[in-house]
């Protein structure tokens, strides 16, 4: 079992999107579908720059006959902007024409933002990253190991202009066979440098990372060694170690990890209870001492999470109903977000929450013939 998060995003990169379910759009209820100024693509990540400003990122898909191209896409919304009425607008960056996605972004304020993506498989070069300092953009290529065929960052955590971490994966060749390895790199204010994990820490394909400070960093992923076990790693400022998480099922992965503080960390993804299981949501919480798995309703996989008062909000896709799913946990238990299906099929891949409400990003298929389109849904508190 390969990484569900990476495999799903790769599948959506195909020129022709095949709907997983056919049906009419459900009533959105309290959800509002925002207009996105990009004709086709996917919203893979979101972050808050300040209480009023949200950035969303992913890729634009361009289809020309039998060929297609992916290019970075960055969107921004400022709910104080009277000129746009709080609408989403496209933000130009120096890498707009690169052969890459933006898989993740992280902000330590409006003057310190990182975007991370993929390397170009055609050139087998370095991984694309971009930094915004509040005034200008800088492209900073991240190195990949020798022999890399393809690679990408799926998570990034920004602490300061001189301290950021990114995690992801590489695909390399051993003879005629390819194999996946994990990748973790650190930004020191000048360059990205690969970090070698201790021998006691297994080689892990990493999909998410979060930091509450330079001595408290968590990374999430899955073992690519055939055991397909969900993994959480912790960095204390000196050493990476593997955390113990009980009751994670037969197989699974942690697609995301988020933190509201050192004693309030959440990891989420998917667990398979047996060989015939199509998947159930996997959620775990760290209280500063131990990790504990939290029973979660539904079936399927969680792609993204955001800390919310008294708990966490998660979004993903339900494999049983073939519908988008979302749940919010607070002091009284889980509550469904009642996410609507947009078009004939839609999948959420990102979520952001603040005092004003929740924003969900992803992609939807308008019909059986057109490419999938970027999707942003908002709901006020």
């Amino acid at each position: 079992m390969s990484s569900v998060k990476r495999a799903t995003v790769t599948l959506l990169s195909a020129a022709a999107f095949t709907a997983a379910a056919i049906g009419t759009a459900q009533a959105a209820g309290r959800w509002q579908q925002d207009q996105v100024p990009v004709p086709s693509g996917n919203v893979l990540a979101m972050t808050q720059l300040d209480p009023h400003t949200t950035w969303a990122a992913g890729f634009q898909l361009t289809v020309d006959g039998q060929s297609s191209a992916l290019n970075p896409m960055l969107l921004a919304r400022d709910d104080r902007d009277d000129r746009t009425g709080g609408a989403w607008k496209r933000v130009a960056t120096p890498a707009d024409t690169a052969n890459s996605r933006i898989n993740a972004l992280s902000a330590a304020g409006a003057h310190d933002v990182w975007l991370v993506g993929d390397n170009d498989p055609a050139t087998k070069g370095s991984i694309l990253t971009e930094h915004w300092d509040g005034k200008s953009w800088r492209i900073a290529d991240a190195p990949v190991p020798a022999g890399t065929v393809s690679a990408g960052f799926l998570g990034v955590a920004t602490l300061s202009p001189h301290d950021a971490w990114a995690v992801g994966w590489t695909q390399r060749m051993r003879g005629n066979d390819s194999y996946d390895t994990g990748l973790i790199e650190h930004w020191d204010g000048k360059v990205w440098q690969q970090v070698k994990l201790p021998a006691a820490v297994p080689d892990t394909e990493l999909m998410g990372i979060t930091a509450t400070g330079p001595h408290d960093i968590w990374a999430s992923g899955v073992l690519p060694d055939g055991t397909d076990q969900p993994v959480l790693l912790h960095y204390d400022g000196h050493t990476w170690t593997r955390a113990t998480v009980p009751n994670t099922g037969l197989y699974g992965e942690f697609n995301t990890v988020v933190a509201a503080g050192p004693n309030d960390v959440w990891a989420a993804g998917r667990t398979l209870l047996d060989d015939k299981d199509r998947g159930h949501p996997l959620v775990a919480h760290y209280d500063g001492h131990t990790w504990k798995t939290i029973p979660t309703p539904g079936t399927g996989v969680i792609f993204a999470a955001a800390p919310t008062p008294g708990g966490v909000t998660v979004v993903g896709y339900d494999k049983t109903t073939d519908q988008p799913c979302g749940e919010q946990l607070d002091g009284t238990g889980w509550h469904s977000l009642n996410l609507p299906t947009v078009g004939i099929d839609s999948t959420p891949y990102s979520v952001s929450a603040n005092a004003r409400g929740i924003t969900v990003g992803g992609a939807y298929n308008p019909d059986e013939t057109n490419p999938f389109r970027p999707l942003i849904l908002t709901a006020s508190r």
Side-chain angles (χ1 to χ4, degrees), residues 45 117 119 122 160 167 179 226 254 265 286 293 346 371:
N119 77 333
S160 76
V167 298
Y179 65 99
F254 282 121
V265 186
Y286 180 71
T293 50
S346 55

Side-chain angles (χ1 to χ4, degrees), residues 65-338:
Q66 297 299 313
S67 64
S68 62
L70 303 181
N71 302 114
M73 175 187 71
L74 178 62
L75 307 169
R77 181 186 64 194
D78 186 339
D79 58 28
R80 300 164 299 184
D81 192 340
D82 294 332
R83 296 170 301 173
T84 64
W88 292 94
K89 62 180 181 179
R90 183 78 182 263
V91 178
T93 77
D96 274 353
T97 60
N99 182 21
S100 175
R101 307 165 296 186
I102 298 175
N103 297 319
L105 72 166
S106 172
H111 303 286
D112 188 12
V113 188
W114 278 102
L115 317 179
V116 298
D118 308 306
N119 77 333
D120 187 341
T123 63
K124 302 179 183 179
S126 53
I127 297 172
L128 172 67
T129 76
E130 296 183 273
H131 183 260
W132 172 252
D133 65 5
K135 295 181 179 179
S136 60
W137 288 97
R138 171 185 179 180
I139 293 180
D141 292 332
V144 295
T148 293
V149 177
S150 60
F153 287 143
L154 296 176
V156 60
T158 307
L159 288 161
S160 76
H162 306 286
D163 190 5
W165 291 82
V167 298
W169 58 278
T170 67
Q171 185 182 59
R172 304 164 74 181
M173 298 299 296
R174 185 185 291 118
N176 295 325
D177 298 323
S178 66
Y179 65 99
D180 291 344
T181 62
L183 182 65
I184 184 166
E185 300 198 18
H186 179 252
W187 173 260
D188 62 6
K190 296 181 180 179
V191 296
W192 287 102
Q193 295 180 322
Q194 296 177 47
V195 175
K196 186 177 181 179
L197 295 177
V201 176
D203 184 18
T204 304
E205 185 177 342
L206 296 167
M207 279 95 80
I209 188 168
T210 190
T212 67
H215 305 292
D216 187 30
I217 302 171
W218 291 94
S220 64
V222 61
L223 291 179
D225 61 358
T227 63
D228 296 327
Q229 292 298 305
V231 174
L232 290 173
L233 304 179
H234 183 256
Y235 182 69
D236 62 4
H238 302 284
T239 305
W240 285 94
T241 56
R242 183 180 179 181
T244 299
V245 186
N247 304 318
T248 56
L250 185 62
Y251 308 110
E253 68 277 327
F254 282 121
N255 290 320
T256 183
V257 58
V258 296
N263 302 328
D264 192 8
V265 186
W266 297 87
R270 181 184 67 152
T271 179
L272 278 70
L273 305 178
D274 54 51
D275 288 329
K276 297 181 179 180
D277 188 4
R278 299 185 66 190
H280 289 76
L282 174 62
V283 175
H285 180 254
Y286 180 71
D287 63 3
H289 301 283
T290 58
W291 281 95
K292 178 182 178 181
T293 50
I294 308 297
T296 309
T299 56
V301 56
I302 295 171
F303 292 122
T308 42
V312 68
T313 296
V314 298
V315 297
Y317 196 80
D318 192 312
K319 295 285 187 175
T320 299
T321 63
D322 287 326
Q323 301 287 337
C325 61
E327 297 281 341
Q328 186 172 89
L329 177 66
D330 61 19
T332 64
W334 288 102
H335 308 278
S336 175
L337 296 181
N338 295 315

Side-chain angles (χ1 to χ4, degrees), residues 7-17 42 59 61 68-70 101 372:
T8 303
V9 172
T10 302
L11 175 64
L12 282 175
S13 302
F17 181 97
N42 197 341
F59 62 87
L61 170 67
S68 62
L70 303 181
R101 307 165 296 186
F372 54 89

